[in-house]
Each structure stands twice: as structure tokens, then as C-alpha cells.
Amino acid sequence: MSTSSGTPESWISSFCSLLGHEYFAEVSEDFIEDDFNLTGLQNQVAMYKEALEMILDVEPEEDEDDEEEEEEDEEDISGDVRDGPGGRERRHHSRVASDLSVIESSAEMLYGLIHQRFICSRAGIQQMSEKYELGHFGVCPRTNCNQTRTLPVGLSDIPGEDTVKLFCPSCLDVYVPPNSRFQTVDGAFFGRTFGALFLLTFPEYDLSRSGAETTANLGRAAADEHGMINGMYARNIAPGLGRGKIYEPRIYGFRVSEVARSGPRMQWLREKPDDVAILDEASNFAEEHGAESDDDDESMNMNSGRPAARRRLAAANNPALRQRQGQNGSPMNVDANGAESEL
Amino acid sequence: MDDYGTESDSDYTSYWRDWFISSRGNEYFCEIDEEYLTDRFNLTGLNTEVQYYQYALDLVTDVFDLDCDDEMRETIEKSARHLYGLVHARYIVTTRGLAKMLEKYKKADFGKCPRVMCNSHPLLPMGLSDIPNLKPVKLYCARCEDTYNPKSSRHASIDGAYFGTSFHNILFQVYPALVPAKSAERYVPRVYGFKVHAAAALVRWQNGVRDDMRRRLRKMEVESGFKDGEDELDEEDDDVDEDEELQQQQQLTEYRGGGGAAAAAAAAATGPSVGVGGEAQMGSVA
């Protein structure tokens, strides 16, 4: 411990400064030392103990006895994970280079998995926001997003499934990082949650600040400063989408018709209502179905009336319809909660 | 410029156009036929656009024999590149030009779509304007029908007018069989497995827009081009058919509400989802 805090190049900072590891935050040692934060990782990483020591720059030779015990623990664990290298474990007293490289790779895996948890913690997300401010994660390649800064995300929380991707808060889509060196970074080291959680944690970020239309955006921001819709500032709901931000195919200036075989079919993906207020389904429902919305019973009746009519037309065994009926109950709950959250 | 000086002066084996399209940064260009370049009709109006038009044209067609200083030569060289680009925009919408660009497209010479859900679909170069010196070249993905910035800065500085606003659309008009199947697959932001309310509401609305479009197209008996995820959409389509009977009596607005509900039901069936209240709570916790 004493050595690691003193040396400028800890394992963690040297790992984060490697080429291709630019997206990683430096997980604080306090976070790693709290066993609660590591719950369950023992079963996911081979040679867990050694890997953890490597990450924390703890010298295994420091106290022989302790290490002996740990070694035994570790053998039990790793025995489950990999059955092959039992023989290699036994001659750990003279740790060979191949052993070190195995530990090195499990240390990277372990660090990645801790990192996935860390960047969703308060300290971690703060550190990531600093990196975001500095533009460490690159910008969206989409033309109409005007260089909005992106966030690294994974498409899976399980390691080994997919590489890291970039989430653009402006068009709510994910992109492959432009540089191929990131194609070796596991997406699980960032996780599925981080991107969306970041936007919820820092709702006041002006997402298009680095864009070309900063000034235009400022004007708009002043207009709807207080506009909160569905728990986000209205101006921050997909600012890169909607009218004027959708590519319109043209030939010699004439728009290609939707009816053409090669006509536009994907514009919905970049669509956004001109007035985002219509996305506030809960309040709209409350308005539409009686301003006396406290009166749950009445709206419930109205609501169940419609599906009943529809059901008569539909085949009785249509699962999608039944699903919808079930769904129709829930906007009621939403009604109350939506009102609360607006307060 | 060194390449040019040594190679084309020495021999007739290497031509200016060969050098141009093979030099670094010019990977997006295809070679323009000699016949096309020498037909004056194809160059109509370019003489006012390009400085030292005649010399530049001579250089491009390898008949340049003016003795001049390096500075002059550099200027003419620059004009020649500009001229080539402008002719290129006209050439690539001809039958032969389209075929050449198609070859490059198939080899993914223009790069691949960065959007994850497009699965590295090849891109096509395009301009956002037909007037030179306004906007740099962009890349068009036929799968998501959106435009992207080139990855490398040496491509990002090419003038978009050298490809034009029409080329990529004409290509798919001429080769309709090449229009890629569209996919409804998309990314949905989640926090610990739960959809985020603001994004999920937008996704529901967008799905409604898409379903409206598919319904419109079906009425006109036009192929909508959505190939994958057909099974998943089928359920929705059944709904839609039944809804369509209702629609004759109902208002369009009310109908849209129905479509939204269907999308919500489908979403609930496919993945973990919480009600609006739960999502709002997520927001307030964070």
C-alpha cells in the first residue's frame, strides 16, 4: 500500500495510459478496497487474488504466510473456473513469466469489471464527466449531430460479447469508435447503464455545446428553460433529431418520393415531434381524459371500454392484444406518479 | 507533387489521372474516361469555374506542354484537381461512372457505416451542395439513410461538390436491387435494464411514425423494404389490420394513440420495462 500511493506510476494509471485505454477512468483504490464493490467478481475472474494484488500494486512477497493462505483460497476458486493449470499454480514460488501474463490479463479483466461498477458510482461518474468535458470520448460521426460529444457504452454487461461503442446523446444512437484500437476494448468494461445514467445524473448539460449551432441553441434554451418533459430538460431530449435534422434524399434538387423503391424509409429513426410536449404521455392522458384526473375510477372505466370494443374485433387468442390490455391499466398509476414528479 | 514530376515527365506510361486517383486522400474518386473528358459538351460551363481552364484541362488529359515556373505549375495543378473534381461530379451519374462507383462501393472503398445497428454497411460519398467550396464531402449509408462525416481528416477536406447531392440517390434508382433491407432494430438507452422514460417515450413515438409510414405504403401497395424482424413486426401488423377497420370510424388522432399503445405493448413483451412512474423515479434518484 505504502509503495503504491507513493509511486507516480501505479498499475492503474499505467493501465489507463495505454494506447486504446483512453476511455477508462482511474478507479480509486478506496473503491477497490471496499469488498462490497467487488461482490461476485471472484467467480468471474481467474486468479482473482493475484489480479487484485496486481491492480493495487501490493507485493505478494511482502508477507509469505498470508500469501500461502491466499494462494490456497485462490486455487479453490480458480479450480472452478479453469481446470487446466493446476500444476502451474503449485510451483508459484518461482513465478514464471507465463504466469505473470495470465495474471496480467485477469487483472485487466478484473479492472474492467470494477470499472463498469465504478463509473456508475458518484465518484466515478464525476470523473467520467470531467473526461467528457475534455472530449476524451470523441464526437458523433453523424453530420446533423454537429460534433456532439459521445459517451462510451457497452451493449452487454457480460465480458467477451462486444467491444466498446459510443453513445450519442444527441441522436440516441450508438456508433463504432472511429479508431480501430478501441476494437480491442470490451464493452462490458463500461456497461449498458453508464450512458443513460450519465444523462440522468447531469441533466443540465448543454449537449450541443461543442456544436456549430451553439448560439442558436442558447436562444432556444432561454425560451424553454423551465421545460421539463419526462424527467429531462426538453432541450436535451435528442437535440440532434427532428425537423431540419433529417437527411432528405434529393435528385437534382427534387425530393425522392416515399413511394419510390429507393425512397426514404428510415426517416422515423431521426424523427422527433415538433413539440416535444406530446411525448409527455402521462400529463396528456390526464388532460385528455378529464381534468378531474384525481377521479381514477372514471378514467379507468373509459379506458377499459375501448379495449373491450377492440377485443370483439380481434381474435380472442391474440397475445399482443391481451398485452395491450394489461398495459392500459398502468397509465393510471403513471398518472399520479407523473403529477408528483412534476412538482 | 514529387510523384507527378518524376513520373509523368519521364514517360507516357503514367498519366495524370492515374496519379491523381492513386494518391493518398483521393481514394473516393474514380477514373474519368478519356472520351468523357475530351467531349466539350460534358465540360459546359466549367471554363468560368476553373482558373487557367485550358492548361488545367491539358494537364488532366496529359497533353500539357507549357514551360513555366514552379509557382505557375502549382497553380495549374491546383486548377486541374478542381476541374477533375467538377467533371467527376458529372461523370459519376453517367452509366459508366455509376458502374465504376458501384464497384468501389462493393469493395467498401468509401468506408463503412459507423452506426452499430447498420453492421458495417458500405457508405457512398456525397455532397450537401452542388456548388463548390461550400461543404466538404459526407458519407451516405443506404441502410440507415443518414449522412456521416468521414473518419479521416484528409477525406473531410475534399469538396462535397466533387460528388454532388444526387449521385448516391441516382445509384439506387438505377440499381434498385441494391437497396439494402431496412431494419427496425435500434438502440434503447437503459439504466440497470430499465428503459429511460424520456428516451423510451421518443422511441414509442418514432415507432408510431414508422408504423404510419408502413401502413401508408401498404395502402399504395409499395414494398416497404423492411426485411428483418418481420416476425416481431407481424404481431403489430395484425393489430394494425384490425385497427384499420376501426379507423374508418375513428379519427386519425385517436388512432395514433392506439398505435402508440401497440408499440408499448410490444415493448413490454420484448424486454423488461417499467411504467412511467418507475422511470421518473429513476430520474429523481439520480
Side-chain angles (χ1 to χ4, degrees):
Chain A
M1 258 323 293
S2 54
T3 49
S4 67
S5 51
T7 45
E9 265 286 273
S10 65
W11 186 90
I12 292 174
S13 56
S14 70
F15 175 82
C16 292
S17 58
L18 283 177
L19 197 70
H21 290 184
E22 289 86 347
Y23 296 164
F24 283 96
E26 292 195 20
V27 181
S28 68
E29 292 194 357
D30 296 343
F31 188 86
I32 301 176
E33 278 159 5
D34 187 341
D35 279 343
F36 177 74
N37 293 328
L38 310 180
T39 308
L41 294 184
Q42 268 165 328
N43 307 322
Q44 286 195 54
V45 180
M47 307 188 82
Y48 172 76
K49 219 85 186 181
E50 282 92 336
L52 192 58
E53 280 168 357
M54 181 176 271
I55 291 174
L56 293 171
D57 297 303
V58 179
E59 288 296 320
E61 284 80 20
E62 265 177 359
D63 31 12
E64 293 272 324
D65 297 345
D66 252 24
E67 211 230 328
E68 214 83 301
E69 284 165 32
E70 280 166 13
E71 209 61 45
E72 274 166 31
D73 285 0
E74 176 272 329
E75 245 170 18
D76 293 342
I77 297 152
S78 68
D80 298 340
V81 184
R82 328 160 299 158
D83 26 6
R88 199 200 289 159
E89 308 284 348
R90 225 148 278 146
R91 50 187 176 94
H92 67 86
H93 289 294
S94 54
R95 194 168 274 164
V96 270
S98 68
D99 227 5
L100 259 181
S101 74
V102 172
I103 297 173
E104 178 74 40
S105 68
S106 33
E108 285 178 15
M109 166 74 80
L110 179 61
Y111 184 80
L113 293 174
I114 297 171
H115 186 265
Q116 182 201 109
R117 299 175 178 192
F118 175 70
I119 56 173
C120 293
S121 72
R122 190 175 287 268
I125 210 159
Q126 191 63 45
Q127 205 181 324
M128 288 300 262
S129 87
E130 282 158 23
K131 286 174 77 70
Y132 181 75
E133 293 257 15
L134 295 170
H136 283 190
F137 309 125
V139 295
C140 182
R142 185 170 166 263
T143 305
N144 282 324
C145 280
N146 279 317
Q147 317 269 327
T148 302
R149 284 162 295 172
T150 51
L151 292 160
V153 295
L155 298 183
S156 163
D157 289 332
I158 300 153
E161 292 203 339
D162 212 341
T163 58
V164 65
K165 309 289 180 217
L166 295 174
F167 169 66
C168 172
S170 177
C171 56
L172 301 178
D173 215 334
V174 280
Y175 298 96
V176 180
N179 199 310
S180 59
R181 68 170 178 262
F182 296 113
Q183 247 121 85
T184 57
V185 179
D186 200 315
F189 295 170
F190 296 89
R192 295 191 300 164
T193 297
F194 169 68
L197 187 65
F198 186 91
L199 296 185
L200 292 175
T201 311
F202 304 106
E204 66 287 345
Y205 254 116
D206 187 354
L207 291 175
S208 46
R209 185 154 29 146
S210 70
E213 30 134 38
T214 317
T215 44
N217 206 56
L218 279 178
R220 221 178 335 127
D224 55 18
E225 203 164 44
H226 305 290
M228 285 283 275
I229 284 167
N230 295 340
M232 282 183 80
Y233 286 104
R235 65 162 196 274
N236 265 353
I237 296 178
L241 301 185
R243 189 189 295 248
K245 305 281 180 72
I246 305 168
Y247 174 69
E248 278 192 332
R250 285 170 186 266
I251 294 178
Y252 301 126
F254 298 103
R255 271 193 317 235
V256 181
S257 164
E258 182 179 79
V259 183
R261 173 76 180 81
S262 63
R265 297 281 190 278
M266 293 295 284
Q267 292 187 332
W268 55 273
L269 187 66
R270 308 306 193 192
E271 261 307 350
K272 191 174 80 171
D274 287 335
D275 178 13
V276 277
I278 73 163
L279 291 180
D280 194 355
E281 292 157 344
S283 338
N284 290 345
F285 186 89
E287 257 171 52
E288 210 177 299
H289 294 262
E292 70 282 18
S293 70
D294 304 60
D295 196 5
D296 266 17
D297 288 343
E298 199 193 330
S299 27
M300 192 71 91
N301 289 337
M302 286 173 71
N303 203 40
S304 56
R306 271 208 300 165
R310 220 174 253 158
R311 194 172 22 172
R312 260 183 274 120
L313 285 155
N317 59 352
N318 188 336
L321 268 193
R322 236 176 288 138
Q323 195 74 38
R324 185 197 284 171
Q325 273 176 13
Q327 193 74 5
N328 263 340
S330 71
M332 302 288 74
N333 312 334
V334 157
D335 219 1
N337 281 342
E340 266 169 46
S341 72
E342 268 179 4
L343 291 176
Chain B
M1 301 315 107
D2 281 348
D3 289 14
Y4 170 69
T6 50
E7 284 177 35
S8 72
D9 278 353
S10 58
D11 247 344
Y12 284 110
T13 49
S14 182
Y15 300 102
W16 187 89
R17 279 168 291 142
D18 274 347
W19 164 79
F20 180 77
I21 61 163
S22 59
S23 62
R24 208 169 142 78
N26 290 339
E27 292 85 355
Y28 291 172
F29 291 94
C30 72
E31 188 174 353
I32 305 173
D33 287 334
E34 179 93 40
E35 304 94 79
Y36 191 86
L37 270 171
T38 47
D39 186 341
R40 289 287 157 142
F41 176 73
N42 294 325
L43 310 178
T44 308
L46 293 184
N47 51 347
T48 56
E49 189 62 54
V50 179
Q51 222 187 350
Y52 301 113
Y53 170 75
Q54 193 52 52
Y55 291 133
L57 185 60
D58 287 351
L59 189 56
V60 172
T61 50
D62 301 306
V63 292
F64 184 72
D65 54 0
L66 178 76
D67 257 337
C68 59
D69 55 12
D70 285 356
E71 201 179 312
M72 181 66 178
R73 200 178 170 94
E74 186 57 42
T75 315
I76 292 172
E77 177 73 36
K78 213 175 139 205
S79 293
R81 286 197 294 263
H82 188 49
L83 176 66
Y84 190 89
L86 293 175
V87 181
H88 188 262
R90 299 180 178 188
Y91 176 71
I92 55 176
V93 297
T94 64
T95 314
R96 285 182 60 81
L98 280 173
K100 275 189 185 175
M101 289 301 261
L102 183 62
E103 279 312 302
K104 288 172 79 70
Y105 168 67
K106 283 178 174 164
K107 284 189 287 174
D109 278 358
F110 311 113
K112 291 173 176 170
C113 183
R115 187 170 167 265
V116 172
M117 305 302 168
C118 285
N119 291 318
S120 305
H121 192 84
L123 295 164
L124 281 169
M126 58 164 286
L128 293 175
S129 166
D130 286 314
I131 300 157
N133 303 320
L134 279 185
K135 296 243 174 73
V137 69
K138 303 290 173 197
L139 298 168
Y140 172 79
C141 171
R143 205 169 146 94
C144 57
E145 294 171 6
D146 213 336
T147 62
Y148 298 97
N149 300 322
K151 270 199 230 181
S152 119
S153 53
R154 64 173 188 271
H155 291 145
S157 59
I158 300 175
D159 196 329
Y162 296 167
F163 300 91
T165 57
S166 310
F167 154 68
H168 57 286
N169 294 316
I170 294 174
L171 184 84
F172 289 108
Q173 294 266 321
V174 175
Y175 301 99
L178 289 176
V179 176
K182 309 294 174 175
S183 166
E185 199 188 353
R186 61 173 307 153
Y187 176 74
V188 181
R190 287 169 195 269
V191 170
Y192 300 116
F194 297 107
K195 292 177 189 165
V196 180
H197 180 44
L202 181 60
V203 166
R204 279 195 289 275
W205 184 85
Q206 288 174 334
N207 287 348
V209 172
R210 184 190 65 217
D211 293 343
D212 283 349
M213 177 196 73
R214 295 188 62 175
R215 226 169 279 130
R216 266 200 314 276
L217 291 175
R218 191 173 0 196
K219 270 203 185 128
M220 291 183 283
E221 292 174 350
V222 178
E223 176 86 43
S224 73
F226 281 89
K227 287 285 184 297
D228 55 9
E230 204 71 72
D231 6 287
E232 160 205 336
L233 284 164
D234 269 347
E235 291 172 30
E236 250 174 86
D237 285 355
D238 291 345
D239 276 11
V240 162
D241 287 335
E242 283 132 25
D243 282 356
E244 246 160 359
E245 294 169 27
L246 269 179
Q247 196 193 7
Q248 277 147 16
Q249 297 112 18
Q250 277 181 351
Q251 294 262 317
L252 185 77
T253 46
E254 217 178 342
Y255 183 42
R256 264 190 202 193
T270 51
S273 170
V274 286
V276 184
E279 286 160 358
Q281 267 177 9
M282 271 296 174
S284 60
V285 164

